[in-house]
Amino acid sequence: MTASKHQTEIAADPDLPTIRIVREFDAPRERVFRAFTEPDLFAQWNGPRSTTTRVDRWDCRTGGNYRYAVVLDGQEYCFYGSFHEVRGVERVVQTFTYEDMPDGVSLETATLEDLGGGRTRVTMLSVLDSMQARDGLLASGMEVGVVEGFEKLDELVTELA
Amino acid sequence: MTASKHQTEIAADPDLPTIRIVREFDAPRERVFRAFTEPDLFAQWNGPRSTTTRVDRWDCRTGGNYRYAVVLDGQEYCFYGSFHEVRGVERVVQTFTYEDMPDGVSLETATLEDLGGGRTRVTMLSVLDSMQARDGLLASGMEVGVVEGFEKLDELVTELA
């Protein structure tokens, strides 16, 4: 598997308890949006390569909710939340909780920009309630899941072409 | 109508884009929780005294959602969001958007503490994605709605006794 030609930027804001992730994909926005919002597709690219994702609930519309498990060596790590807003093919706002840390909640906004020429930029903003919670999320190893997940997403949108 | 004997604290964090509201009520936690989570009761105390609240959707459970209108002189101001978590009688986490500012989303956590002796402390934390958004919410006149709403809630929990 060759490294992706696109870099994933993961930036912690110096002043706000937020994380901003920016990534481009060589695929039209509609296709990237499908990969973010259809459960069978989401399960194919989410998380590190060493894991699989099992979607338990997925009602991806404004006011809907979801739950999924990331499985690593038989261990399950479960996540749940609500879809606050699903707007066209351009924006998904959702809440996110890791079930083993039930008091932690982040608000995640994914924005998909059509760059023309069949290219799409995805910006994901995570907002937490303290710098400590934000730094804890960054230290959790989320980076490998994001980077490897987006590499799998590169492959998936190519297959879907 | 006499002023409430309980003060409502509304505090903007100096470093984080958050607002913390703290208020005590002379009512047991179960009753205050009902007033926060049952649509007919919520509509009776929400917002400034000059307004009425009409609940359009209200599915107050983990993964549910809501929409309501605050009506002032025939003008409707509509709000919607998801219930990320409803935990026992102690915690409600929800998203919140004013429909005329559709890109603005806050994450709101209400925590109800049993103080003993039939008293309850409610702490509400609102998290926004920038200091500007937080300051805009504070400047919107939300304070009068919170203070007068909680005075109505004092009266409601007395009636429910």
Side-chain angles (χ1 to χ4, degrees):
Chain A
M1 205 64 68
T2 56
S4 169
K5 70 175 184 166
H6 290 299
Q7 292 240 315
T8 299
E9 294 175 33
I10 302 180
D13 192 284
D15 298 321
L16 296 172
T18 61
I19 301 170
R20 188 178 301 270
I21 298 172
V22 183
R23 178 64 147 76
E24 291 185 17
F25 295 93
D26 292 328
R29 180 161 67 166
E30 288 68 18
R31 202 186 302 156
V32 177
F33 183 81
R34 281 187 57 204
F36 270 81
T37 56
E38 295 184 17
D40 297 350
L41 300 180
F42 174 78
Q44 289 181 53
W45 66 266
N46 181 63
R49 289 195 187 275
S50 53
T51 66
T52 54
T53 292
R54 184 195 69 231
V55 175
D56 295 327
R57 265 200 327 271
W58 191 272
D59 182 14
C60 186
R61 57 177 178 86
T62 298
N65 63 69
Y66 69 92
R67 180 181 193 260
Y68 61 83
V70 174
V71 185
L72 172 66
D73 295 333
Q75 279 285 328
E76 295 188 1
Y77 303 87
C78 296
F79 304 87
Y80 82 96
S82 292
F83 291 106
H84 171 74
E85 187 189 15
V86 180
R87 186 191 301 175
V89 295
E90 73 199 60
R91 179 175 151 108
V92 179
V93 184
Q94 65 198 88
T95 57
F96 176 86
T97 287
Y98 171 43
E99 290 184 358
D100 284 4
M101 295 181 61
D103 289 353
V105 188
S106 60
L107 182 66
E108 321 251 321
T109 300
T111 306
L112 283 68
E113 286 172 86
D114 182 352
L115 300 178
R119 293 163 50 244
T120 303
R121 180 187 297 126
V122 176
T123 302
M124 301 175 74
L125 179 69
S126 300
V127 181
L128 292 104
D129 65 359
S130 70
M131 297 306 263
Q132 192 176 15
R134 191 276 308 273
D135 293 343
L137 180 56
L138 273 178
S140 70
M142 57 100 76
E143 186 170 345
V144 68
V146 171
V147 170
E148 292 189 4
F150 284 166
E151 288 173 9
K152 288 187 282 179
L153 182 47
D154 282 332
E155 297 156 20
L156 178 61
V157 290
T158 301
E159 287 166 26
L160 291 174
Chain B
M1 207 63 67
T2 57
S4 168
K5 69 174 185 166
H6 291 299
Q7 292 239 314
T8 299
E9 295 174 32
I10 302 179
D13 192 284
D15 298 321
L16 296 172
T18 62
I19 301 169
R20 188 178 300 270
I21 298 172
V22 183
R23 178 65 147 76
E24 291 184 15
F25 296 93
D26 292 328
R29 180 160 67 167
E30 288 69 17
R31 201 187 302 156
V32 177
F33 183 81
R34 282 187 57 203
F36 271 82
T37 56
E38 295 184 16
D40 297 351
L41 299 181
F42 174 78
Q44 289 180 53
W45 67 265
N46 180 63
R49 289 194 185 277
S50 54
T51 66
T52 55
T53 292
R54 183 195 69 231
V55 175
D56 295 327
R57 265 202 324 271
W58 191 272
D59 182 14
C60 186
R61 57 176 179 86
T62 297
N65 62 67
Y66 69 93
R67 179 180 193 261
Y68 62 83
V70 174
V71 186
L72 172 67
D73 295 335
Q75 279 284 328
E76 295 188 1
Y77 303 87
C78 295
F79 304 88
Y80 82 95
S82 291
F83 291 106
H84 171 74
E85 187 190 13
V86 180
R87 185 192 302 176
V89 296
E90 72 199 60
R91 179 174 151 108
V92 178
V93 184
Q94 64 197 92
T95 56
F96 177 85
T97 287
Y98 171 43
E99 291 184 358
D100 283 5
M101 296 180 60
D103 288 352
V105 188
S106 60
L107 182 66
E108 321 252 320
T109 299
T111 305
L112 283 68
E113 286 171 86
D114 182 352
L115 300 178
R119 292 162 52 243
T120 303
R121 180 187 296 127
V122 176
T123 302
M124 300 176 74
L125 179 70
S126 300
V127 181
L128 292 104
D129 65 358
S130 70
M131 298 306 264
Q132 191 176 15
R134 192 277 306 274
D135 293 343
L137 180 56
L138 274 178
S140 70
M142 57 100 74
E143 186 171 345
V144 68
V146 172
V147 171
E148 292 189 4
F150 285 165
E151 288 174 11
K152 289 188 280 179
L153 182 47
D154 281 332
E155 298 156 21
L156 178 62
V157 290
T158 301
E159 287 166 26
L160 290 175

